[in-house]
Amino acid sequence: MPRRYYITTFGCQMNKADSERMAGVLEAMGLEPVAEPDQADVLLYNTCTIRDNAEQKLYSYLGRQAKRKHQNPNLTLVVAGCVAQQEGEQLLRRVPEVDLVMGPQYANRLGELLEQVWSGSQVVATEPLHIVEDITKPRRDSTVTAWVNVIYGCNERCTYCVVPGVRGQEQSRTPAAIRAEIEELAAQGYREVTLLGQNIDAYGRDLPGITPEGRRQHTFTDLLYYIHDVAGIERIRFATSHPRYFTERLIRACAELPKVCKHFHIPFQSGNNDILKAMGRGYTRERYLHIIDTIRRYMPDAAISADAIVGFPAETEAQFADTLDLVATVGFDQLNTAAYSPRPNTPAATWPDQVPEAVKEDRLQRLNHLVATVAADRSQRYLGRTEVVLVEGVNPKDPTQVYGRTDGNRLTYLQGEIEALRGQLVRVQITEARAFSLSGEPLEPLPRTPAPLAATGH
C-alpha cells in the first residue's frame, strides 16, 4: 500500500504555492493525498511566522501528532516554511518527534530530504540556499487559477517583519522560465495566473543587464509585457506590491494590458509618517496616496486592497487616527488588518513602549468596523452593472450556485452548474452587493480563447 500524505498550510499565498509544489513532489514519489491528517503516513505543516497565533497553533497540532507517533513510529512529521526556518534545531528540542525541519527554499528538495529521513536521519535543512530553477510539477488546488512564483525572498528590512530572515535574499526567476511555466498551465486548461513575490515590484533587481536608456533590463513591468500574450490565459494578477517601488510605468502597463486585472494589493501598514519611519517602510503617507491617485487616473474603477497593522510600538491614539483617516480617504475594497505581534529576531520586538493588548484589540475592532463600512459602500457601485466573472467552483453553502471573481477580485455568486461553467468567463448582472462579495444573474459565457496544444518554451 503506498504511503499517504496530508499538508496543513498556514499563512500567505507564497505558502500556498509552496504547498502545491511540495504536494507535487510527494505525488511524484508515489504518495497519495488523504482527506484527514490522522490518515496520513507523512504529515507536513507548512508554517507561517508573521503572527504569533499561527505559530502557537502549529505547536498545538504537533503536540497531538507527537502522541500519535508514539503509537505509530512509521509516521513522518515534517515542519516546513517560515517557523521551520526561524526555529531550526530549536524546534527539534521542543518537539523531538519531528523528523524533518526545512526552510521555504528547500520546497523542491523535499524528496531527497525525506529519503534521508527514511534512511534513519533526523534532518534540519535551513542553511541559505541558491534556488535553482524548479522542475517539480506542483499539485494545483484549482483547475482554473494557478500561482506562479516569479521572485523568492525579500531584501527589505521592515522592523516588525521576519520574512527576510526566514525566506532569504531576493532571487528572481528568469523571464523565459516564468513564461514556460505559464504556457504549460495554459496547455493544461488554466485560465488565470497570479504572479507571486514577497515584494513583487523588486523583480529583476538581481538579474543582469541594463537597457540603452540606463534602466534595469528586467523589471516587473517588462515581465508583464513579456508574458501577456500567452494564448489561453485570460487573466493575470499579481501580489504583493511595495509602495517604495510601485512606479507610474507599472501602472501605465497595467492600464494598457487587457489581461492584467485592475486590482492592486498594496499594503500601507500605517497612515502615520512617524510610524512608517519606525517600521522602516521607506515611503510616506503622501507617497502612498500619490500612488492611489495615479492608479485611479489611469483606471478610475480599479479595486484597491491593502494590509494594515495597529498597535505598533509607541503608536499613539492620534497616530492610529491617521490610519483610520487614510482608510476613509482611499476607500479600500478590502483591507487585511492585524494587531502588531512581536516576532523573534526583529528590532521592534525589543523596543520599549509596547502597546497594551487591550488597546491593540480595541483599535483593531474600530478599524475593522470602518473597513466593513467602507467596503460595503464601495460595493454599491456594482449594483445593476454587468461584470465578467471567471467561474472557479461550487458555493459550499449552496450547491445550486457557483462562484468566481470579477476582474477587480470581488467574490461573486451566481446560479449554475459547475460542470458547464467551471473555467468559463461569464457575464453576470449584479443584483446584490455586500461588503466583500456580490451575487448576480448569469447572462452568457464569453467565447473561450483556445489554449496552445503544448508549452512552446518561448
Side-chain angles (χ1 to χ4, degrees):
M1 182 177 178
R3 285 188 173 105
R4 299 163 299 178
Y5 78 89
Y6 186 91
I7 298 176
T8 298
T9 305
F10 302 90
C12 66
Q13 294 169 323
M14 296 288 288
N15 271 17
K16 293 174 184 175
D18 287 347
S19 288
E20 289 182 349
R21 292 163 60 208
M22 289 187 287
V25 172
L26 293 171
E27 294 192 10
M29 297 173 71
L31 280 76
E32 297 178 353
V34 290
E36 299 294 335
D38 287 351
Q39 300 170 345
D41 306 299
V42 175
L43 195 54
L44 189 152
Y45 295 99
N46 191 14
T47 59
C48 173
T49 187
I50 294 295
R51 302 279 171 255
D52 183 62
N53 60 347
E55 193 172 326
Q56 296 311 313
K57 188 180 292 186
L58 164 70
Y59 283 113
S60 174
Y61 288 178
L62 284 176
R64 181 171 179 271
Q65 294 301 331
K67 293 177 182 177
R68 182 175 159 231
K69 181 156 184 171
H70 290 299
Q71 301 167 347
N72 176 17
N74 292 324
L75 173 64
T76 301
L77 291 179
V78 181
V79 179
C82 294
V83 172
Q85 183 68 33
Q86 172 187 291
E87 298 296 311
E89 292 184 7
Q90 293 281 354
L91 198 151
L92 294 185
R93 284 194 275 274
R94 184 166 175 177
V95 188
E97 291 83 1
V98 170
D99 299 285
L100 169 59
V101 177
M102 51 179 280
Q105 67 270 35
Y106 284 86
N108 63 335
R109 297 179 62 176
L110 173 60
E112 61 189 85
L113 296 174
L114 281 175
E115 293 293 349
Q116 293 179 41
V117 169
W118 294 335
S119 296
S121 301
Q122 194 176 36
V123 179
V124 176
T126 56
E127 289 300 310
L129 178 73
H130 178 71
I131 300 172
V132 298
E133 182 54 36
D134 191 356
I135 61 172
T136 59
K137 303 296 184 206
R139 177 185 179 272
R140 307 284 182 180
D141 287 337
S142 169
T143 59
V144 179
T145 68
W147 316 111
V148 176
N149 288 96
V150 302
I151 179 172
Y152 300 99
C154 181
N155 289 357
E156 300 304 305
R157 288 293 181 267
C158 301
T159 57
Y160 56 83
C161 186
V162 298
V163 167
V166 296
R167 284 197 171 265
Q169 296 292 297
E170 291 170 357
Q171 296 184 50
S172 301
R173 298 176 66 195
T174 66
I178 295 165
R179 181 173 174 117
E181 181 176 350
I182 295 172
E183 287 177 336
E184 184 168 347
L185 289 167
Q188 295 169 9
Y190 286 88
R191 310 298 307 282
E192 174 183 296
V193 294
T194 300
L195 310 179
L196 291 182
Q198 212 73 46
N199 175 12
I200 204 161
D201 318 79
Y203 174 80
R205 289 199 297 191
D206 57 321
L207 296 178
I210 299 294
T211 69
E213 296 80 23
R215 60 176 177 80
R216 290 192 305 277
Q217 185 173 348
H218 300 290
T219 68
F220 184 62
T221 303
D222 296 309
L223 180 66
L224 288 178
Y225 281 113
Y226 179 67
I227 66 169
H228 185 266
D229 65 347
V230 174
I233 298 298
E234 300 286 354
R235 286 181 169 177
I236 299 169
R237 301 186 188 275
F238 59 89
T240 294
S241 299
H242 195 301
R244 181 183 285 185
Y245 307 107
F246 206 89
T247 65
E248 184 167 351
R249 182 170 176 260
L250 173 58
I251 295 169
R252 189 167 60 247
C254 294
E256 291 174 356
L257 296 171
K259 291 184 183 181
V260 176
C261 292
K262 307 315 183 247
H263 166 240
F264 301 90
H265 186 75
I266 315 174
F268 66 90
Q269 306 301 8
S270 173
N272 178 267
N273 284 341
D274 289 336
I275 294 295
L276 288 172
K277 184 176 181 180
M279 288 178 165
R281 292 291 287 169
Y283 56 87
T284 63
R285 171 195 178 96
E286 291 73 24
R287 162 69 179 156
Y288 188 87
L289 290 172
H290 175 72
I291 291 169
I292 303 304
D293 288 345
T294 305
I295 289 172
R296 288 182 169 155
R297 176 158 50 88
Y298 281 94
M299 295 161 281
D301 198 46
I304 311 292
S305 61
D307 302 339
I309 297 171
V310 302
F312 189 75
E315 181 189 63
T316 66
E317 180 63 24
Q319 289 169 331
F320 169 66
D322 287 342
T323 293
L324 295 177
D325 181 72
L326 182 70
V327 172
T329 299
V330 171
F332 290 98
D333 292 81
Q334 188 165 347
L335 185 64
N336 302 322
T337 63
Y340 170 72
S341 176
R343 307 311 298 132
N345 305 313
T346 59
T350 63
W351 290 351
D353 299 325
Q354 297 286 326
V355 176
E357 291 298 322
V359 174
K360 288 193 283 190
E361 184 60 32
D362 172 69
R363 290 177 184 173
L364 186 62
Q365 289 183 10
R366 288 154 59 197
L367 177 59
N368 286 340
H369 177 76
L370 176 62
V371 167
T373 301
V374 170
D377 182 63
R378 287 284 291 166
S379 268
Q380 297 312 302
R381 75 191 194 277
Y382 291 110
L383 271 178
R385 281 181 14 181
T386 298
E387 289 288 318
V388 176
V389 174
L390 177 60
V391 176
E392 300 177 35
V394 178
N395 181 355
K397 296 182 179 179
D398 183 351
T400 69
Q401 291 185 334
V402 296
Y403 71 87
R405 293 182 183 273
T406 66
D407 180 276
N409 206 39
R410 242 350 139 159
L411 185 64
T412 304
Y413 299 99
L414 57 143
Q415 295 294 129
E417 296 290 333
I418 190 61
E419 290 77 13
L421 294 179
R422 190 192 303 273
Q424 294 286 338
L425 287 164
V426 181
R427 293 187 188 277
V428 179
Q429 184 164 17
I430 304 303
T431 56
E432 293 182 55
R434 296 170 292 277
F436 303 111
S437 66
L438 308 170
S439 294
E441 296 295 331
L443 301 177
E444 76 282 343
L446 298 176
R448 184 161 186 157
T449 302
L453 295 177
T456 64
H458 180 100

